[in-house]
Amino acid sequence: MTYDLLLKGGRIVDPAQELDCIAHLGISGGRIAGISPDIGAGQARRTLDVTGLLVLPGLIDLHVHCYQHVLSSGLQPDSVGVHAGVTSVVDQGSVGVYTFQGFRKFIVEPASTAVYCFLSATCMGAPTQIFRTPALLGPELIDVEATVQLIQAHRDIIRGVKVFGETGSFSRWGGEVVALGKRIAAMAGVPLYVHTGSLLPVREPFALSPEDVLPKLLPMLGPGDILAHPFSFAPGGMTTPDGRVLPAVLDAMEQGVRVDVGHGLHFSFEVARKVLDQGLIPFTIGSDQHGDLDIPGMSTRSDTSLTLAMSKLLTLGLAFPQVLAMATVNPATALGLADRAGGLKPGMPADISVIALQGAMDLPGLRGRDPRGAAAACPGHGHPGRPRLSGELGLPPLAGSPAGGRVTAARLSWVTFDPCADEGGQRGGHLVQASFEEVVSPLDPGQRLWPRRSLVETL
């Protein structure tokens, strides 16, 4: 068999298949055609040597904001997608019934990244102006029938419904918005995604404490629905002020409600440690990437990338296969796309992320063993190693066959790191684009970690 492209010599990891091995991966006709250590370079029209790199199912970011120029903090989808090592992104709630057609035409269709959305329950979506005009998130702007009809007409893109289950909203409308959102989701047969943690200013007088709000909303949710921001420092989320996970949250999870990290600007290492120690393990890792809330069209000054969110969970002690599943097969399952995304099974569309690991700690393989045969123990909380999954070299999609009406096949994001390249300069044929800062880790105040560089190569 002759392959269109051969990825040679990488460490192939696919939690969906419990696969972890050093091998070659062949792509043909936009689909995974074979995984074997015995494929020769002569069997492929083109070969990329990925020795020493992680060859993974295409990463899926369940929470971004990419309705650029409509949402003032919306980012360009490929900047958080294939240019950041991610093959599929899901816009969470930026889009509503009144604004969807522009999202499809000007965001989804031109993007190299596969772009989906959870439609806002409110017709206008959730523009940044909600902070000045909270009524944009109110029940008066919810049209149940029109929203259900739109979801049914665009199921290839719309995979769920987004609402805000937080203190400011509850002080205005009680549980009405969440109830209407759940009604829409149930009628359309899609999951409901619920923001937790204080967002809007509370309308006084308000008799409830923040931690009393979520338990009143959770009985409305069901299996497959998703709660966001378990590691948030904001009040009114999934924890009490002293860090205890609300019993109602644990009860909901036992009933099939899922939890998404929703990293964003909410993330707290202190809260995350306490929550993980109590056994709350998220199902998915959404980055919650968005632009600057004050300067329309500007990227945020903080790194909230999906690979950074994954790296933080590794640092907090979760095992690599567990973290990888949260960014591949688990979000694919949540989206109802597990038959075409989130895995490397032969025959599936070739959505692949090739990731470089920065840091001294080796990643233990499935069942705690290194794929080359050496025993490797999973790290515990507070492990001194700080692995960094670097997500910076994006390759545009290869030619592939249509899947579900869209060319989603053969997306390859190659993620690497070049510490020697000059900011904004040319090096070796690669255009180097640098972010404006290094990230300061809350684990080690004062220590600068993970300087970032973006390398964009044209295939």
Side-chain angles (χ1 to χ4, degrees):
M1 179 177 185
T2 299
Y3 300 98
D4 297 327
L5 177 66
L6 181 68
L7 303 181
K8 179 182 178 183
R11 176 178 170 183
I12 301 173
V13 187
D14 180 7
Q17 300 184 79
E18 296 190 347
L19 177 67
D20 191 340
C21 62
I22 305 296
H24 314 314
L25 185 150
I27 298 169
S28 184
R31 295 184 177 270
I32 306 292
I35 297 175
S36 171
D38 300 322
I39 302 174
Q43 295 176 254
R45 296 183 178 90
R46 184 176 184 192
T47 298
L48 291 177
D49 188 348
V50 294
T51 302
L53 301 176
L54 300 167
V55 179
L56 312 175
L59 299 181
I60 303 170
D61 195 335
L62 194 67
H63 190 151
V64 304
H65 296 282
C66 64
Y67 202 172
Q68 192 179 33
H69 305 306
V70 173
L71 180 71
S72 60
S73 57
L75 297 173
Q76 202 279 336
D78 287 339
S79 71
V80 296
V82 292
H83 290 184
V86 176
T87 62
S88 302
V89 300
V90 183
D91 184 281
Q92 280 293 344
S94 307
V95 188
V97 168
Y98 296 164
T99 60
F100 175 79
Q101 297 298 338
F103 180 76
R104 179 167 195 133
K105 178 69 175 179
F106 298 110
I107 301 299
V108 176
E109 293 179 4
S112 295
T113 308
V115 181
Y116 304 97
C117 74
F118 273 44
L119 198 70
S120 173
T122 55
C123 293
M124 287 296 293
T128 311
Q129 288 78 8
I130 61 172
F131 298 107
R132 295 194 299 271
T133 314
L136 290 171
L137 294 181
E140 296 85 358
L141 282 176
I142 296 178
D143 185 330
V144 172
E145 295 298 332
T147 306
V148 171
Q149 290 175 11
L150 186 74
I151 294 171
Q152 292 173 337
H154 299 275
R155 287 295 295 271
D156 57 326
I157 296 172
I158 305 172
R159 310 305 299 183
V161 177
K162 167 77 178 290
V163 295
F164 291 85
E166 52 88 41
T167 313
S169 300
F170 197 89
S171 70
R172 289 170 170 79
W173 309 296
E176 186 178 2
V177 170
V178 174
L180 289 171
K182 179 58 182 177
R183 182 180 170 192
I184 293 168
M187 291 175 65
V190 296
L192 182 69
Y193 189 102
V194 182
H195 169 99
T196 70
S198 295
L199 183 69
L200 299 178
V202 171
R203 173 181 286 176
E204 301 293 352
F206 185 59
L208 293 178
S209 63
E211 58 266 28
D212 291 333
V213 171
L214 195 55
K216 293 185 176 296
L217 301 177
L218 286 173
M220 303 180 196
L221 307 189
D225 292 333
I226 304 167
L227 292 172
H229 313 305
F231 305 147
S232 174
F233 55 76
M238 300 188 207
T239 59
T240 62
D242 61 358
R244 290 179 291 110
V245 177
L246 296 174
V249 171
L250 298 175
D251 292 343
M253 292 177 67
E254 289 184 0
Q255 299 302 314
V257 173
R258 293 162 172 162
V259 174
D260 178 58
V261 169
H263 177 280
L265 303 179
H266 309 264
F267 187 95
S268 163
F269 270 102
E270 180 180 1
V271 174
R273 283 198 193 96
K274 292 178 180 179
V275 168
L276 291 171
D277 284 341
Q278 294 171 73
L280 192 161
I281 307 298
F283 187 69
T284 54
I285 306 174
S287 70
D288 194 6
Q289 292 187 82
H290 54 74
D292 196 298
L293 296 176
D294 299 317
I295 307 173
M298 289 293 291
S299 295
T300 181
R301 290 182 286 267
S302 298
D303 180 2
T304 57
S305 63
L306 180 61
T307 52
L308 176 62
M310 295 170 70
S311 299
K312 287 184 177 181
L313 293 187
L314 292 172
T315 298
L316 284 161
L318 296 184
F320 173 57
Q322 188 176 23
V323 172
L324 180 57
M326 294 177 188
T328 54
V329 62
N330 289 3
T333 299
L335 295 168
L337 298 173
D339 61 332
R340 69 193 88 161
L344 297 175
K345 186 176 180 180
M348 291 184 70
D351 277 15
I352 302 167
S353 293
V354 181
I355 304 291
L357 176 67
Q358 294 174 231
M361 189 176 80
D362 289 334
L363 293 180
L366 293 166
R367 303 184 182 89
R369 295 191 63 83
D370 186 277
R372 289 148 293 200
C378 294
H381 293 317
H383 193 287
R386 288 176 180 81
R388 169 71 157 111
L389 299 177
S390 175
E392 305 310 330
L393 176 59
L395 305 181
L398 301 172
S401 55
R406 290 177 43 80
V407 179
T408 60
R411 246 176 225 98
L412 176 64
S413 288
W414 183 340
V415 184
T416 189
F417 175 69
D418 186 350
C420 300
D422 296 328
E423 290 192 11
Q426 299 283 342
R427 178 185 174 89
H430 297 151
L431 172 63
V432 180
Q433 302 172 325
S435 62
F436 298 106
E437 70 173 7
E438 296 173 335
V439 178
V440 178
S441 169
L443 289 178
D444 295 287
Q447 181 180 3
R448 287 187 173 275
L449 301 175
W450 312 322
R452 304 172 62 218
R453 300 289 186 270
S454 296
L455 309 179
V456 182
E457 179 184 30
T458 300
L459 273 175

